[in-house]
Amino acid sequence: MRPLISITFILFSHVLRSLALRPNEAQLELSPAAAFPSRPQPQPRCKSFPGDSSWPSPADWNSLNQTLGDVLLNRLPPAAVCYPSSPNFNQEACNFLLNNATRTTFYFDDPITVQAQWPQGLTCPLSRNIGANATCTQGGFPVYVVNATTPRHVQAAVNFARNKNIRLIIKNTGHDSSGRNIGAGSLSVWTHYLKGFEFYPDYKQPGPGGGYRGPAAWVGAGLQVWEAFEQAVRYNITLPAASCLTVGSYGGWIGGGGHSPLSSKYGLGVDQVLELKVVTADGRYLTANPGENGDLFFALRGGGPIITSAIVKAHPPINLTIASFNFNLGTSPSTPIPSPNPTIVNSTAFWAGFNAVFAFGITTVDAGGYLWTNALPSGPGFSMQVRVQLPGFSPSEALTFLQPLISQLNVLGIPVGNLTQPTTELYSAQTASRGGGSSPGGYFASRLFPRKAYTDPSLFAAAMSAARATVEAGYTFHGLNLSPTLQAAGNPRQKPGVNPVWRDAVMHADVFGFGNINLGTASDQEVAAAVERLHALMEPLKQATPGGGAYVNEADPVEPDWQRSFYGGNYGRLREIKERRDPWGVFWAPTTPGSEGWRVEGTGGVLWRQNGRLCRT
Ligand SMILES: Cc1cc2nc3c(=O)[nH]c(=O)nc-3n(C[C@H](O)[C@H](O)[C@H](O)COP(=O)(O)OP(=O)(O)OC[C@H]3O[C@@H](n4cnc5c(N)ncnc54)[C@H](O)[C@@H]3O)c2cc1C
Ligand SMILES: *[C@@H]1O[C@H](CO)[C@@H](O)[C@H](O)[C@H]1NC(C)=O
Ligand SMILES: *[C@@H]1O[C@H](CO)[C@@H](O)[C@H](O)[C@H]1NC(C)=O
Ligand SMILES: *[C@@H]1O[C@H](CO)[C@@H](O)[C@H](O)[C@H]1NC(C)=O
Ligand SMILES: *[C@@H]1O[C@H](CO)[C@@H](O)[C@H](O)[C@H]1NC(C)=O
Ligand SMILES: *[C@@H]1O[C@H](CO)[C@@H](O)[C@H](O)[C@H]1NC(C)=O
Ligand SMILES: *[C@@H]1O[C@H](CO)[C@@H](O)[C@H](O)[C@H]1NC(C)=O
Ligand SMILES: *[C@@H]1O[C@H](CO)[C@@H](O)[C@H](O)[C@H]1NC(C)=O
Ligand SMILES: *[C@@H]1O[C@H](CO)[C@@H](O)[C@H](O)[C@H]1NC(C)=O
């Protein structure tokens, strides 16, 4: 009985804390002196670092902890439990990390670690063979973490970091793999427990001239996809979200753009946002909507300060129907034929089928759908995996819709047939990928294909041959066809600061594999060579997609000319807003607007590593 009672109490007190986040509740404003310090003159070149005389004393940190009501944490890297030389050494905990952590949400629920650990600098790697003398150091992980449950916690962290010249980072779930969620010598704002939710059946967006009116939801910045879906089912609504159920819907996902299987119908994640509650670099807790702090409303939906909550559109419930098939190039044909998964031996037919599937991407997005593809080396040949995702279609409508593609493949000599019945399920009820930390987070590059790269036959031929070359070189070419136009976004008055290339894009494609380099063991030279090889493969894709760009949330961490690739024509305005709102450089993360003014030093020239001191360039 007793454990049950205490669990109930924890759940109940968690609800109370969530309610403390209600947007209309009076704010605990910090004193103006703390909120508006004068800008230090001259500003130090580097952020303060542990060991510096300027680094806050233990008493300073204790005092921050008191201001925060005891939610300040300091943690060793989780893998410290595997190092005999660490005070945290614990074989049983180490066995859990080695065997079971990736099957749970361990990495997403941990205060400091993240999914892709190589940006940390590998100063405390998890391994089965850790020598008695091996050392584990904090590396790129933060020194202190604020386990935030209220905007006031976030304000206190921002004020402390700004006044003490400490590097500040933001971790929500830790899905990002470009080093934006970690940083050596930093104070981290952990937004994971900003979990509030409230449904507004009839919401009217503030601001001039008739904004959105209809159902909406107020959501905490820490809600993960699976939590948002639970609420969506409860209130009979749809909240578009990332395909991976552990991603944070209202932190990095909306901040970078956010694509979903519903994007061709309802636009990007940013397009769902009607209002934001944010903490700015001066420590203020502000509302941003089209009428108030419009610059932040623009910028925060494309890179910027800390979001504590948002109000987002709630759409009617919708089913997602998914039809899947694969075909393979091998050395002997499969039986039975036709099948939903045939193997053929004719290479010309295989690559013609590859082109036909991608060409069907336009048909899919124009019908409001999302085409998921994976082309990869498989055995002695290659495999093409196809999942056509159609919101609002019944299974029989989906089969009818697909028939032209199937016929075309059959004519080419690819006997895809006898498709297994498409699956159909309420979009918000998907639970397939719930939980699980999966892989250590790979290194990849990506490209947004503008519509012209599909409709201009010579560009399309060049794009397909560049895509094929990545697969033949041993990489996986992962395509997602979607079309989040301004019309689908439905906010004609409010163009968010997201990469405008998205509005005309019909495919976001990732090139995975990184030349089979193990980022945990490769030398700096091997890594540099692998980056060069991948960049050489990406170049023809870029040539064939003029006017394209890349999706900042799923991208090469050392994307050449990243300002233009990730932010397109919005970059100048985003950088201007950033510099005006944050003259102190409180918010810094690689590849965000204005980040070229700083760099992490002492990382052996590997640009994505965060295990060094952050200094102005
Ligand atoms: C397995 C997997 C599947 C994915 N699937 C999809 C998908 O289907 N669609 C898609 O669009 N993307 C997808 N992504 C990419 C995902 O959108 C990004 O990794 C995104 O940055 C995750 O945001 P997060 O808040 O969960 O993660 P974090 O890594 O915690 O945050 C990433 C960064 O976002 C910023 N940030 C986070 N919270 C806040 C906040 N409250 N205020 C201000 N800034 C904040 C910070 O800079 C932070 O470092 C996927 C990633 C993975 C690893
Ligand atoms: C903050 O205070 C709590 C409660 O006293 C304590 O458990 C925690 O260790 C403190 N944090 C730090 C970083 O000292
Ligand atoms: C890992 O999980 C298995 C069950 O899947 C369990 O038997 C085992 O005890 C776990 N190991 C650790 C170290 O937690
Ligand atoms: C560990 O260090 C000690 C003392 O420096 C040395 O004698 C020993 O050989 C080292 N062990 C290993 C496995 O490197
Ligand atoms: C962070 O705060 C949440 C909510 O109060 C709590 O449930 C959780 O245990 C805390 N995590 C850590 C590591 O202190
Ligand atoms: C859910 O919403 C839809 C349309 O928005 C409506 O048709 C349906 O009756 C609702 N279902 C329930 C159980 O309220
Ligand atoms: C989803 O599909 C199921 C089964 O076909 C059907 O009963 C249900 O009405 C559909 N729901 C919606 C919202 O279309
Ligand atoms: C291979 O497929 C192509 C494209 O369908 C076709 O033109 C060609 O005749 C096929 N070759 C053989 C040997 O079947
Ligand atoms: C379809 O596949 C099933 C299962 O593999 C098989 O039993 C059936 O005969 C096939 N039907 C046709 C028309 O090929």
Side-chain angles (χ1 to χ4, degrees), residues 206-227:
Y212 174 90
R213 167 119 202 217
W218 172 73
V219 290
L223 278 190
Q224 288 170 282
V225 174
W226 65 271
E227 292 167 315

Side-chain angles (χ1 to χ4, degrees), residues 317-319 424 426:
I318 191 165
N319 278 346
T424 192
L426 194 64

Side-chain angles (χ1 to χ4, degrees), residues 71-159:
V71 301
L72 187 69
L73 310 170
N74 59 341
R75 290 297 169 91
L76 293 174
V81 296
C82 299
Y83 286 73
S85 62
S86 164
N88 275 20
F89 179 67
N90 176 330
Q91 195 59 53
E92 202 185 319
C94 178
N95 289 344
F96 169 78
L97 284 187
L98 288 166
N99 301 326
N100 295 348
T102 57
R103 277 184 263 149
T104 70
T105 58
F106 178 86
Y107 289 99
F108 304 128
D109 295 336
D110 182 83
I112 69 167
T113 194
V114 294
Q115 189 176 359
Q117 296 193 27
W118 36 273
Q120 184 266 355
L122 300 169
T123 67
C124 187
L126 180 64
S127 150
R128 281 182 197 277
N129 307 304
I130 293 173
N133 295 347
T135 56
C136 161
T137 62
Q138 207 72 9
F141 288 136
V143 189
Y144 289 93
V145 176
V146 175
N147 185 2
T149 53
T150 68
R152 192 176 192 276
H153 288 152
V154 179
Q155 292 177 285
V158 166
N159 285 333

Side-chain angles (χ1 to χ4, degrees), residues 325 327 337-338 342 344 346 348-354 356-357 402-417:
F325 62 89
F327 55 89
I337 267 177
I344 58 168
N346 181 338
T348 309
F350 179 85
W351 293 109
F354 170 93
V357 167
L402 267 176
Q403 202 47 56
L405 174 62
I406 301 303
S407 304
Q408 199 188 349
L409 294 173
N410 291 168
V411 168
L412 288 169
I414 303 172
V416 171

Side-chain angles (χ1 to χ4, degrees), residues 14-16 60 120 125 136 245 357 494 529 539 572 594:
H14 179 66
V15 168
L16 288 181
D60 291 332
Q120 184 266 355
C136 161
L245 298 206
V357 167
Q494 322 152 8
E539 198 47 44

Side-chain angles (χ1 to χ4, degrees), residues 532-555:
E532 221 168 275
R533 280 199 300 279
L534 183 55
H535 285 179
L537 282 166
M538 293 305 291
E539 198 47 44
L541 273 175
K542 291 182 182 178
Q543 297 294 329
T545 52
Y551 174 35
V552 61
N553 272 352
E554 293 177 304

Side-chain angles (χ1 to χ4, degrees), residues 254-266:
I254 55 165
H259 64 79
S260 88
L262 305 183
S263 283
S264 303
K265 226 178 154 57
Y266 296 135

